[in-house]
Amino acid sequence: MKILVCITHVPDTTSRIAFTDGDTKFDTNGVQFIIGPYDDYALARAVELKEQSGGSITVLNVGGAESEPTIRKALAIGADDAIRVNAEPTDSLFVAAEIANVAKDGGYDLILMGRESIDFNGGMVHGMVGEILGIPSISPVMTLDIEGDTAKMSREIEGGKEYLEVKMPFVAGCQEPIAEWKIPNMRGIMSARTKPLNVVEPSSNQSGTKLEKYEMPPAKGAVKMIDADNVGELVSLLKNEAKVI
């Protein structure tokens, strides 16, 4: 079984966010980057499936050379080799097209990724990859088991759970509790240094979007304390000021 796991190179959730060049570029100074948390779940499940049934895991990232330490961490966790598409991940369609371009000739049985990245939270790439390749795409996948050439999975929907079966190959956008995050051990860290990391050029330099400006969310306002007996004032503030009702 050949598994392709697509990972993102994103700021740690505890990082201080700032912008430069007139708020047109993300300031990376002092920022620690990590594997996207949802991608980490996908990678962890891929490692478990490999341990159960054998096969190989390739990790794929669309990004610049600065993402290679993140890719090496994925190799340390259990991937066998890696591919980096040497391009800035400008938007979801561009990233999906590059993933599909790599995957189309790879003969992969599973294409796993997080349900969304935690930088832009678009949640669109898995669906686009499936559409481009002409294979099913399912998200969010919370459990995943393989029986022969069939995958059985479940996901939460409004009011309950949905259980699905699909023939391979397919694309899955993963989230907890599909697996527990895995921490690389020393043996994995050492072996990751010599595992293949192939850099390929993008199939296209075209992007469908252009970034105009970043903007921080507005600062939180002061807290207003309302007397417990003054329900009318509370309703008025929620309706006219907070505008949530």
Side-chain angles (χ1 to χ4, degrees):
M1 181 166 60
K2 293 184 67 176
I3 306 174
L4 180 66
V5 179
C6 307
I7 64 171
T8 52
H9 171 73
V10 296
D12 192 304
T13 52
T14 60
S15 298
R16 176 184 172 274
I17 302 301
F19 306 110
T20 61
D21 295 353
D23 292 337
T24 61
K25 292 184 179 179
F26 175 62
D27 186 359
T28 60
N29 290 321
V31 175
Q32 180 179 352
F33 284 82
I34 60 172
I35 300 172
Y38 293 116
D39 304 326
D40 240 339
Y41 286 118
L43 177 59
R45 187 57 185 147
V47 171
E48 292 174 350
L49 291 171
K50 175 187 169 183
E51 291 171 348
Q52 293 169 8
S53 306
S56 64
I57 301 171
T58 298
V59 290
L60 170 62
N61 170 259
V62 179
E66 67 277 1
S67 66
E68 292 194 3
T70 300
I71 298 171
R72 289 289 177 193
K73 181 181 178 182
L75 291 170
I77 288 172
D80 299 286
D81 60 90
I83 300 169
R84 178 173 68 81
V85 178
N86 189 31
E88 182 182 356
T90 51
D91 59 44
S92 296
L93 182 56
F94 176 80
V95 171
E98 294 305 320
I99 292 172
N101 186 60
V102 170
K104 66 181 181 181
D105 298 321
Y108 298 104
D109 301 292
L110 299 174
I111 302 175
L112 305 181
M113 62 186 74
R115 75 172 194 188
E116 62 183 8
S117 64
I118 63 164
D119 47 6
F120 289 97
N121 300 94
M124 297 183 287
V125 172
H126 39 73
M128 292 178 175
V129 172
E131 179 66 22
I132 294 170
L133 294 175
I135 60 176
S137 175
I138 299 155
S139 181
V141 175
M142 302 178 69
T143 64
L144 172 62
D145 294 291
I146 305 298
E147 295 181 7
D149 64 349
T150 301
K152 295 183 177 182
M153 62 198 84
S154 68
R155 61 181 180 176
E156 286 186 352
I157 59 173
E158 186 174 353
K161 280 190 175 182
E162 184 177 50
Y163 297 88
L164 306 98
E165 291 188 9
V166 63
K167 295 288 186 182
M168 297 189 288
F170 67 96
V171 183
C174 305
Q175 72 165 60
E176 75 282 2
I178 194 169
E180 293 289 334
W181 286 341
K182 297 187 181 299
I183 299 173
N185 55 32
M186 185 55 66
R187 181 179 178 182
I189 293 170
M190 297 300 292
S191 66
R193 297 177 181 179
T194 58
K195 289 181 177 179
L197 196 170
N198 301 312
V199 179
V200 300
E201 293 304 313
S203 60
S204 170
N205 291 320
Q206 295 183 349
S207 173
T209 59
K210 179 183 177 182
L211 175 66
E212 294 289 341
K213 185 180 180 182
Y214 288 107
E215 187 175 283
M216 297 292 286
K220 292 183 178 180
V223 175
K224 292 186 177 181
M225 303 297 294
I226 308 298
D227 188 277
D229 297 325
N230 197 347
V231 177
E233 183 182 359
L234 174 60
V235 171
S236 176
L237 287 171
L238 291 173
K239 183 177 181 180
N240 301 316
E241 191 169 309
K243 298 186 185 301
V244 295
I245 60 172

